[in-house]
Amino acid sequence: GSSSRGYVDGDHKNEDLSTSIKHSIEQRWQHKLQAPIFDNDSSKEKFYVLSMFPYPSGQLHMGHVRVYTISDTMARFFRMNGKQVIHPMGWDAFGLPAENAAIDRGIQPASWTRQNVEHMKEQLNKLGCSFEWDREIATCDPEYYHWTQYLFLKMYEAGFVYRKEALVNWDPVDQTVLADEQVDDKGCSWRSGAKVQKKLFKQWFIRTTTFAKSLWDGLDDPILKDWRDITILQKHWIGDCNGTRFEFELEDGTSNVKMRTLSVFTHKPEHVTSASFIAVPQGSLLDQIYQQSESLHNNTDRFRKLPVHALNPFTGELIPIYVTDEIEYPVGADCHLGIPEISEIDRHFAITANIPIVSPPEEDGKGVNSVEDVSVARERICQIAQQRGLGGYPCSSKLRDWLISRQRYWGTPIPIVYCENCGPQPVTYSELPVVLPSVDKLSNSGKLSLLEATDWINTKCPKCGNNATRETDTMDTFVDSSWYFLRYLDPKNKEIPFSKEKANQNMPVDLYIGGKEHAVLHLYYARFLNHFLHSIGLVPHREPFQQLLVQGMVMGRSYRIKGTGRYLPKEQVDMTGAKPVEKETGQPVIVAWEKMSKSKYNGVDPESMLKEYGTDTTRLLILADVSDARKTKDGLWAQIQDIEGAFPGILKWQHRLWLTMRSFLNIRNNLKEKISETIVETEEFKKHEAYMFDSRNYYLKGVTFNYTTAFQLSVAISKMQGLTNTIKVPEEVIGRGHQFERALACQIIMLAPMAPHFASELWSGFVSAPHRLNVSSNEINWNGDVLEQCWPHVDMNYNLELVCMINGKEKKSLRIPKHQLENLTHDDALEMVLSQEDLQKYMLGRKIVKTSFKLQPSFEAVINITTEKINKIMKRQIQDG
């Protein structure tokens, strides 16, 4: 190791810790802190730490800094714990912002994206992130989207991709279609904020609803850890799978049917053979298509019959279609299957509209009555539908298939060509990738469009060889990001997207870190794709992500003039009076916490933070603010704006560590003259040593728990600060104390994942000191740098707690040595607490109803006892006779 360099021969070991010293420390260590090369044949257990890859906007913002600092800290922690860590990075590089920026600047999106990637990569390296850059991918690179197209064709072959007319969400600003998921509850675009319009287009869809039940059930998969909040969001999105969809063909008596099929949702698929009509609400797609048609008989204000019929695929009967708002539609569904036989409302409507009521066909004549009949009939109908590709999979009424067509240039080309003879045809695998051509001129609507690339559009049909044209829509960028975590495992593979063997070795992702705003859409799509790949045998687990660490937004303080709502920079606000006002006009100002953005003047630029405070201080500050990652709390970035909160605390702490190391070196270098060896025999000395033993174990236990189980890194920091406060001991303990030396080593090692440069510097000082004490154990690797150390262990003879909870309240805690606690069984723990006299007294007149036991190694064990009063139980027995 390079432990002899650094702290010792730095000129500044006797100076106070200044920003310039921090910068020189960072320069000295930067090149030594890269990620180790991944060893495929290692006997170490793998641990896959994934952070959501960024869109290459050119600038890291504070949200990025938070996510990537957390992910780097966790990666370094698990490496020190002997894991073979996978920690990749790449770029979600297609999409509208690059295209819009390129249009504004008159350059190609590709070159704009490339230059942004270079700059952001530099920034991530400045932040001290140990990413494995040899795994780097960019979704706009043909070597990546080749395989996105390949997966699209795999889904197409399996019947999961289809094209149909749809009334779609049109964003008039970005000039493209949006999926339902990309429109907010006010009907505005998730990106541009424009009011979304409805337009009729032929679009490509992926049949995600087929996996609805699988995706719902997957949320209860035992491999998922700590998904609490996210499970709720995902389940809300998928909806209760209490019905199914069938595809009905449409016939309107003309050869050019305006719309080919109608997707019909029903809660009662077993009665589909008795369907008598279909109702659609006013303004729905069918209503709009046929609105111009001549008015037909039996139209009233309450309903209108359309000149089109649906073919019931199970009976071959033609079913009439009515526009009406008199019927209650399933939540989120745009049509209703009328079955008068089982619904009073449907029966009433059929009589009013003079619709003949269909009775069940002969073989169903006996009617579907018993629960058994229902489930058998339901299964039979759904199976027929599935075999014939007509739907029949359980889903909710509100869940839609995934609309992936985008009328924009900068995206993955859809690998389909249109032939006059053969219709739409998939491009052959050998012709992949369909490479995005470069487009120089803007279309009339002022956007880049593949329609301008005429040489590229004209091609040959893969089936008959005649002239054909390429699809000019590109894929939604969520398709690119729905499988990137698999490509990271095998980024150079030229034959297939990823080898099955590498997926088997390295999936699922152990820890996935990212923003709360992606907890529904991106996670839903990525889970869907993984379920699909699992169904065709390419990945080992249905669920791709084992544990999630989701972050809220990073917020900044904003200042807005009351009334007009105009944002002001902080400098223009007078905060000295009772209420804030604008300096110039004296108008009242509203102060709020909002998501950071340039337009609100409330952003904090990471570059200036790194310059002003250094990398490690910035990292510690952002981690000290991750209040409780599990509660997805939005971090209030107060410390930086008001220099309060965590800010002085972190600066003071770093300074204290710096001084601790200085005094340690001074004492050790002059040990012989200062402190005699006999001091270790005194009672006072032994007392201090016992306290050091206790402190090291107590804080190590807490920090490790917060790294591995609670994921509360801010709590881990306050525990480390606690240890720093306890290692203020007399000189003789610093000079001669075994336990002090262990505690100091432990302190620096625990700091290393969070502040790797600073900890490396402190460690180089630590191992340079003469008169080492802990040389016989293997606990300290004296020749290695701090990041090569093993994570410390709680001592086997240190007492941990066995906590006894009765009816949810802590009643007692027993302290027992770690070696005993680690081997405790449920029965041992129960016996141990029930042998305590005070608990025996408490349990008089109570009966144990159930017990549960949880052991958290190196931390604590908890036995939960649920009791009831005996007279209550007797009462119940009497009632039950």
Side-chain angles (χ1 to χ4, degrees):
S2 44
S3 27
S4 58
R5 288 220 21 82
Y7 198 96
V8 214
D9 42 65
D11 312 325
H12 39 242
K13 64 173 182 280
N14 292 317
E15 289 176 36
D16 276 356
L17 183 63
S18 63
T19 300
S20 71
I21 289 178
K22 287 182 193 172
H23 284 316
S24 64
I25 289 172
E26 279 150 21
Q27 274 157 4
R28 173 160 48 246
W29 290 100
Q30 195 175 14
H31 64 287
K32 295 179 180 150
L33 304 183
Q34 304 306 320
I37 300 297
F38 187 86
D39 173 8
N40 262 320
D41 304 320
S42 164
S43 59
K44 292 176 174 178
E45 193 184 341
K46 71 91 192 179
F47 197 88
Y48 189 169
V49 179
L50 177 67
S51 43
M52 292 184 182
F53 61 169
Y55 170 75
S57 57
Q59 290 296 328
L60 283 187
H61 55 63
M62 272 303 169
H64 290 134
V65 171
R66 172 146 75 162
V67 166
Y68 302 129
T69 299
I70 294 171
S71 108
D72 185 62
T73 298
M74 298 315 290
R76 292 185 188 279
F77 170 78
F78 283 107
R79 283 189 204 113
M80 293 173 87
N81 276 277
K83 297 276 201 273
Q84 172 78 312
V85 170
I86 303 166
H87 191 223
M89 184 36 93
W91 312 96
D92 193 1
F94 268 140
L96 270 170
E99 190 172 326
N100 290 343
I103 291 169
D104 292 346
R105 291 166 178 75
I107 54 171
Q108 283 285 335
S111 51
W112 162 253
T113 301
R114 254 197 312 278
Q115 112 206 1
N116 285 351
V117 162
E118 283 320 301
H119 185 230
M120 284 175 81
K121 199 167 166 177
E122 209 178 294
Q123 288 183 307
L124 285 171
N125 285 330
K126 259 190 208 157
L127 193 59
C129 292
S130 56
F131 290 118
E132 298 172 88
W133 288 112
D134 57 333
R135 295 186 189 270
E136 183 182 9
I137 56 175
T139 56
C140 65
D141 182 340
E143 283 174 21
Y144 181 86
Y145 67 70
H146 176 161
W147 304 112
T148 304
Q149 292 170 342
Y150 172 99
L151 294 171
F152 175 92
L153 293 179
K154 281 277 176 226
M155 288 192 276
Y156 185 86
E157 274 173 19
F160 282 94
V161 171
Y162 64 94
R163 183 172 180 249
K164 72 166 190 183
E165 282 276 1
L167 196 61
V168 295
N169 306 306
W170 178 255
D171 181 330
V173 171
D174 281 333
Q175 300 262 305
T176 186
V177 162
L178 302 173
D180 285 344
E181 299 89 342
Q182 293 162 349
V183 180
D184 68 17
D185 44 16
K186 297 187 185 75
C188 296
S189 161
W190 71 304
R191 199 196 293 277
S192 72
K195 198 80 180 143
V196 168
Q197 303 164 356
K198 289 287 186 189
K199 281 197 172 184
L200 194 60
F201 274 132
K202 266 207 159 140
Q203 301 287 290
W204 286 100
F205 290 85
I206 295 177
R207 222 180 276 282
T208 45
T209 50
T210 304
F211 278 97
K213 185 80 170 80
S214 170
L215 287 162
W216 173 280
D217 293 344
L219 293 164
D220 299 322
D221 191 314
I223 84 163
L224 304 188
K225 292 185 194 162
D226 274 345
W227 272 55
R228 288 180 291 269
D229 304 352
I230 307 304
T231 301
I232 295 165
L233 293 171
Q234 288 270 313
K235 284 196 167 176
H236 177 71
W237 184 253
I238 296 163
D240 196 359
C241 301
N242 55 3
T244 189
R245 284 184 185 281
F246 295 126
E247 296 296 321
F248 281 37
E249 276 182 40
L250 296 178
E251 293 190 8
D252 66 3
T254 64
S255 54
N256 59 344
V257 183
K258 316 269 194 338
M259 188 172 144
R260 306 250 163 233
T261 60
L262 184 64
S263 178
V264 178
F265 177 85
T266 174
H267 289 296
K268 306 273 190 190
E270 62 278 11
H271 292 286
V272 66
T273 50
S274 309
S276 299
F277 65 92
I278 288 174
V280 298
Q282 297 202 29
S284 62
L285 177 54
L286 268 179
D287 183 22
Q288 295 200 18
I289 291 176
Y290 288 101
Q291 226 162 27
Q292 312 315 319
S293 64
E294 76 288 1
S295 152
L296 279 124
H297 61 287
N298 79 359
N299 286 356
T300 70
D301 292 343
R302 294 163 59 194
F303 58 85
R304 207 169 64 249
K305 188 176 183 200
L306 293 178
V308 59
H309 286 79
L311 182 69
N312 187 329
F314 303 100
T315 61
E317 301 286 323
L318 286 174
I319 303 177
I321 302 177
Y322 288 81
V323 178
T324 179
D325 289 338
E326 302 258 304
I327 290 271
E328 206 174 305
Y329 293 93
V331 178
D334 45 15
C335 65
H336 166 82
L337 189 64
I339 309 175
E341 186 205 16
I342 56 165
S343 154
E344 221 17 77
I345 296 173
D346 290 358
R347 187 175 198 81
H348 179 69
F349 181 78
I351 292 165
T352 311
N354 206 7
I355 301 168
I357 291 173
V358 177
S359 50
E362 272 315 297
E363 71 268 25
D364 288 359
K366 60 184 186 305
V368 181
N369 293 325
S370 70
V371 174
E372 181 125 325
D373 289 345
V374 169
S375 60
V376 170
R378 180 170 294 190
E379 186 134 326
R380 193 188 73 218
I381 282 285
C382 288
Q383 228 163 12
I384 295 169
Q386 289 169 21
Q387 283 157 1
R388 289 166 49 189
L390 301 170
Y393 294 92
C395 64
S396 69
S397 58
K398 63 180 182 175
L399 191 67
R400 302 296 170 88
D401 283 335
W402 179 13
L403 164 61
I404 62 158
S405 300
R406 296 293 175 271
Q407 291 63 42
R408 295 300 297 223
Y409 161 71
W410 189 236
T412 296
I414 294 176
I416 296 283
V417 300
Y418 297 100
C419 167
E420 282 190 7
N421 305 332
C422 314
Q425 290 298 315
V427 172
T428 56
Y429 285 102
S430 59
E431 293 292 308
L432 296 181
V434 176
V435 178
L436 197 62
S438 92
V439 170
D440 294 320
K441 59 173 198 266
L442 299 176
S443 68
N444 297 335
S445 60
K447 66 177 184 175
L448 294 167
S449 166
L450 282 172
L451 295 165
E452 312 298 316
T454 40
D455 299 348
W456 177 83
I457 288 179
N458 295 314
T459 184
K460 298 289 178 204
C461 171
K463 194 170 176 187
C464 71
N466 279 345
N467 289 343
T469 56
R470 293 190 185 280
E471 172 59 83
T472 56
D473 282 355
T474 52
M475 293 187 210
D476 177 14
T477 54
F478 276 120
V479 184
D480 307 312
S481 58
S482 64
W483 74 282
Y484 75 112
F485 48 92
L486 290 161
R487 184 64 180 173
Y488 277 149
L489 301 176
D490 203 1
K492 311 277 187 287
N493 197 324
K494 289 191 164 40
E495 308 303 313
I496 43 177
F498 54 89
S499 91
K500 195 171 156 180
E501 184 193 5
K502 285 190 174 162
N504 282 338
Q505 277 171 352
N506 299 311
M507 286 298 287
V509 171
D510 295 272
L511 184 61
Y512 195 17
I513 303 152
K516 184 169 79 173
E517 65 276 23
H518 299 295
V520 177
L521 296 197
H522 158 66
L523 262 186
Y524 171 71
Y525 296 137
R527 290 182 60 231
F528 159 76
L529 202 87
N530 206 77
H531 279 233
F532 166 72
L533 292 170
H534 179 255
S535 75
I536 58 172
L538 289 185
V539 296
H541 302 280
R542 204 164 59 154
E543 288 298 328
F545 312 120
Q546 191 159 359
Q547 184 136 25
L548 297 176
L549 201 48
V550 284
Q551 305 306 311
M553 305 283 183
V554 180
M555 315 286 266
R557 190 169 283 192
S558 68
Y559 303 89
R560 230 170 44 223
I561 290 185
K562 196 172 178 175
T564 67
R566 182 165 62 85
Y567 284 97
L568 300 172
K570 186 182 179 184
E571 301 72 59
Q572 295 175 17
V573 181
D574 178 3
M575 302 288 285
T576 55
K579 289 197 171 157
V581 293
E582 185 182 14
K583 283 179 182 168
E584 206 174 297
T585 63
Q587 283 182 285
V589 168
I590 295 165
V591 182
W593 289 103
E594 296 185 73
K595 186 186 172 184
M596 283 191 182
S597 85
K598 287 195 186 81
S599 60
K600 297 179 187 143
Y601 305 108
N602 70 339
V604 172
D605 175 23
E607 286 275 339
S608 62
M609 284 281 305
L610 295 172
K611 231 189 229 98
E612 201 175 333
Y613 301 105
T615 299
D616 285 2
T617 305
T618 301
R619 287 171 60 120
L620 288 169
L621 272 165
I622 200 111
L623 293 173
D625 185 53
V626 182
S627 318
D628 180 348
R630 295 175 311 168
K631 301 272 188 300
T632 63
K633 170 182 173 289
D634 293 332
L636 298 182
W637 193 242
Q639 300 86 330
I640 285 169
Q641 292 185 318
D642 306 337
I643 310 296
E644 64 189 17
F647 208 83
I650 292 295
L651 293 174
K652 222 188 310 190
W653 179 41
Q654 269 189 288
H655 195 67
R656 171 80 61 70
L657 289 167
W658 187 249
L659 296 180
T660 302
M661 184 50 64
R662 183 191 298 174
S663 75
F664 174 70
L665 283 171
N666 286 339
I667 292 166
R668 280 293 184 89
N669 282 320
N670 307 305
L671 189 63
K672 286 276 191 281
E673 306 85 276
K674 280 190 156 181
I675 305 159
S676 86
E677 285 185 38
T678 56
I679 190 86
V680 301
E681 298 305 325
T682 65
E683 283 309 309
E684 187 62 19
F685 182 88
K686 288 179 183 165
K687 204 166 85 189
H688 279 298
E689 274 286 82
Y691 177 58
M692 282 293 95
F693 170 85
D694 205 61
S695 279
R696 174 192 171 278
N697 281 301
Y698 175 77
Y699 289 111
L700 169 60
K701 170 187 88 160
V703 171
T704 309
F705 177 74
N706 280 291
Y707 264 117
T708 54
T709 310
F711 289 112
Q712 288 170 293
L713 297 180
S714 55
V715 180
I717 287 180
S718 54
K719 295 270 186 242
M720 286 187 242
Q721 291 170 325
L723 181 56
T724 312
N725 293 336
T726 64
I727 53 184
K728 285 193 296 196
V729 286
E731 284 195 357
E732 56 271 22
V733 184
I734 295 175
R736 298 279 182 196
H738 262 258
Q739 295 301 335
F740 174 84
E741 189 182 77
R742 293 181 72 214
L744 183 57
C746 179
Q747 170 94 69
I748 304 169
I749 293 170
M750 292 195 305
L751 177 66
M754 294 185 179
H757 312 83
F758 186 57
S760 297
E761 185 77 1
L762 294 174
W763 188 258
S764 73
F766 173 74
V767 294
S768 73
H771 310 296
R772 294 172 179 170
L773 298 169
N774 290 279
V775 279
S776 54
S777 78
N778 299 328
E779 190 172 278
I780 296 170
N781 167 6
W782 292 96
N783 300 318
D785 287 335
V786 69
L787 288 159
E788 294 165 326
Q789 303 301 311
C790 287
W791 192 258
H793 291 294
V794 171
D795 289 311
M796 279 299 183
N797 54 346
Y798 176 70
N799 285 333
L800 295 170
E801 287 183 34
L802 165 60
V803 179
C804 173
M805 310 278 289
I806 299 182
N807 299 333
K809 290 200 176 80
E810 185 176 328
K811 283 292 174 199
K812 194 172 184 69
S813 110
L814 308 179
R815 297 184 66 82
I816 51 179
K818 175 185 163 182
H819 63 86
Q820 201 180 332
L821 184 101
E822 309 271 87
N823 293 311
L824 267 193
T825 63
H826 182 180
D827 292 351
D828 296 338
L830 190 60
E831 192 179 327
M832 207 176 255
V833 297
L834 293 180
S835 67
Q836 303 297 308
E837 261 181 57
D838 49 349
L839 283 185
Q840 286 175 349
K841 278 185 191 149
Y842 178 79
M843 296 290 284
L844 283 173
R846 291 174 177 273
K847 184 174 164 50
I848 295 178
V849 186
K850 81 171 189 233
T851 61
S852 67
F853 176 67
K854 188 177 185 184
L855 174 66
Q856 289 173 320
S858 296
F859 189 68
E860 66 175 18
V862 181
I863 181 99
N864 260 303
I865 302 176
T866 309
T867 67
E868 270 190 13
K869 287 192 171 152
I870 285 175
N871 54 4
K872 252 197 197 165
I873 294 171
M874 287 170 72
K875 238 192 225 160
R876 194 174 310 141
Q877 284 169 346
I878 292 163
Q879 280 167 353
D880 295 347

